[in-house]
Amino acid sequence: FGNLNVTWYLNGEELPNGKLTVTKTSTDQTLDVLGIFTDGVNVIQKHLTFKVEKLEIYDYLNLLKEEVKTIEQAIGYTFRDKRFLEQAFTRSSYHNEHTEVESNEVMEFIGDSVLSLIVVNELTSRYVEKKDGFRSKLKEGDLTTIRSFLVNKSFLSKKMRKLDLHRFFRMSVGDEKKNVGQGVSVLEDLFESIVGAIYLDSGENVKETQKIIAPLLDINEEMDEFDGKFSLSYKNLVKEWCEKRGFEPEYITDPEKG
C-alpha cells in the first residue's frame, strides 16, 4: 500500500502536510484509508472508507506509473501484482521512515537462493549430458568457480548498473545523502530483490524466472567468453572475502617473484 497526494481544507483554508495512506483495499473497489493532517497546532487522524469508480494499482503505489513501466521494460517482465515490484525497490532504511511500506530484505533473501538455482540450471544445461546417465564436461571445482563468478557482488552490481534501475531504489533521506545507492553491496541486494520479486509474482515458477533473469546476466555470453575455462583466482577469492566484511584488501607485489 502507499500514500495518495491529497489537500486538506479547514474552513476554506488549505492545511499543510496532509497525507492519506491506503490501509486496505477490497475487490469491490472499497478503500479503507488513514488520513493524517495538522491544523498548525494539533495532529489529526481520521479513518475513512469510500468507493471509487475506477481503481488502478498505481493509485496506491509509491512508485509512479511511468517508473513502473520503465522498470518492467528494462527487465523484460510485466508484473501481475505491481506491489512485488515496489517492495523489491524499497530499502529497509526507507521502511524505517515509512512503516506502511514493507522492505525488500526477505525478497532479497529469496532472490539470492533462486539466483543460485538459476545459475546451476544454466550450467547443467551447458556442461552436463543426461543421456545414458549423468556426465559433466567440467569438474565440480570448475562448476563451483563459474557459479561463484556469476553470483558475486562485483558481477551482479555491474549488471545492475547496466540496467540503470537503481535510480528508482527508495531509501532513507540519510542514505540518499550518503549516496548509499551506488554501493556494490546495495546494487547486488537490489538485483537479488528483483529476482525474488519475479519469482514470487510468477507463482514461484523457477523456469519463468530463469527466462527473464538469464538474459539480464548475459550468462550465455559470459560463458561463451570463458568457454568453461575459468581459472581459480585466489586474488579474487581474497577480494570477495574482504568485500563481505566491509574493507578493501591491499596488494603488495613481491619484488623477487613479481
Side-chain angles (χ1 to χ4, degrees), residues 147-158:
R147 184 189 61 186
S148 298
F149 172 80
L150 293 173
V151 298
N152 70 33
K153 293 187 180 196
S154 299
F155 182 77
L156 295 180
S157 63
K158 180 179 72 173

Side-chain angles (χ1 to χ4, degrees), residues 11 23 43 45 62 123 128 135 200 211 222 236 249 258:
N11 298 327
T23 56
V43 175
Q45 296 189 26
N62 283 313
L123 291 178
V128 173
R135 185 179 295 105
L200 293 171
K211 288 179 181 178
E222 295 288 346
N236 286 340

